Amino acid sequence: MKNLTNRFRVMPRSRTSLAALDPCDTDGISKATAGDRLEKGIARLSDAQERLYALNTWSVLIIFQAPDAAGKDSTIKHVMSGVNPQGCQVFSFKAPSAEELDHDFLWRSAKALPERGRIGIHNRSYYEEVIVTRVHPGILERQQLPGKAGDGSFWQRRFDSINNFEQHLVLNGTLVLKFFLHISRDEQRKRFIERLSEPEKYWKFSPGDLVERQHWDDYAAAYESVFRETSTAHAPWFIVPADHKWFTRMAVAEIICDALEHLELSFPTVSKSQREEWATSRAALEAEDVSSRAPRPRRPGRPRRGRP
């Protein structure tokens, strides 16, 4: 089985051209094979998540970025379908609120970080502040930032803040994985048309989607800068082809599983004294006379009424 982790990882400081990457790439894997591998990946992820939750030492932050209609929501839904909801949380970030704009650009994401033992998924993230704001610099003018926002060193300062933030997370026990779902412009067009052709999918479309589509090349350039400046050994980016949803889901699942299994998670161990104490507790439970405490059958008659 080919290792998709190495296949789609962006190496630190490497120059990536999205135009040179094939959004239709399936690594020679058929749809049927991908379905089987996704099922195995979901099972692997379920097992790893149970160990993660029980050990309560690591947390996992998974970030998804992509153009509209690339399949972020459906990827999250399918890949995480086998995970215990108690150990997983998903946040979808929209345009910042007035309260969020009164804090630094990392603040709202920091508030939503997963606790130890849990998987946190961020559907969009603080990376919007070096992508959308770069394509639409007018947004910065409304953020009440000190100095001249958007000047020559502004973006590098933001990249440095992101790298320092992610390094801090990793050093304190958070596994950070970042996915870009790479969809072609033609496939996005097809999915938009599909949404406008089926009434039950109207809610997924916004006229603003077409406005953003006109900035396709600008967004590509912004993302390429992000990959070059913020894909690190401790918090890597993965560019996953997204024209075939069945392949995207399988690839994302396997990459997450590989990363979790690399942590060598195990169930907590107990000391000899604890085992002896629990053995005593078990013996006491087994020695209880259950039959003597069996509830007596009720006599037929009028139903009991609760107290007023």
Side-chain angles (χ1 to χ4, degrees), residues 25-36:
D25 183 13
T26 61
D27 203 41
I29 299 170
S30 69
K31 186 174 182 178
T33 299
D36 292 339

Side-chain angles (χ1 to χ4, degrees), residues 33-184:
T33 299
D36 292 339
R37 286 174 60 165
L38 175 59
E39 287 187 13
K40 293 177 181 177
I42 291 172
R44 289 170 62 196
L45 182 55
S46 177
D47 178 70
Q49 187 257 345
E50 186 177 4
R51 295 169 186 270
L52 177 81
Y53 189 80
L55 190 61
N56 200 39
T57 299
W58 286 88
S59 60
V60 181
L61 174 62
I62 304 173
I63 291 173
F64 285 95
Q65 294 282 157
D68 294 317
K72 297 189 304 299
D73 291 336
S74 64
T75 297
I76 294 169
K77 175 182 176 181
H78 284 78
V79 171
M80 309 307 292
S81 62
V83 171
N84 186 332
Q86 294 185 97
C88 183
Q89 55 200 43
V90 181
F91 292 91
S92 295
F93 292 100
K94 307 296 183 183
S97 66
E99 180 189 20
E100 290 166 345
L101 288 174
D102 277 340
H103 292 81
D104 67 90
F105 76 99
L106 294 169
W107 181 75
R108 65 175 182 168
S109 293
K111 285 204 310 175
L113 289 173
E115 302 93 334
R116 296 190 193 281
R118 294 170 65 87
I119 297 174
I121 299 172
H122 288 190
N123 186 342
R124 301 193 186 279
S125 66
Y126 43 83
Y127 280 102
E128 296 288 284
E129 296 301 323
V130 288
I131 297 171
V132 176
T133 52
R134 201 160 189 174
V135 175
H136 300 288
I139 295 175
L140 293 174
E141 298 174 4
R142 302 190 292 272
Q143 293 190 356
Q144 301 171 264
L145 299 171
K148 187 176 180 182
D151 64 11
S153 62
F154 177 82
W155 301 112
Q156 189 58 54
R157 293 197 301 272
R158 284 207 162 179
F159 289 143
D160 291 343
S161 293
I162 288 172
N163 287 333
N164 290 335
F165 177 66
E166 291 177 347
Q167 185 175 40
H168 170 76
L169 295 180
V170 172
L171 290 174
N172 285 274
T174 298
L175 173 66
V176 180
L177 302 172
K178 302 175 293 192
F179 293 93
F180 174 74
L181 306 189
H182 183 30
I183 187 176
S184 67

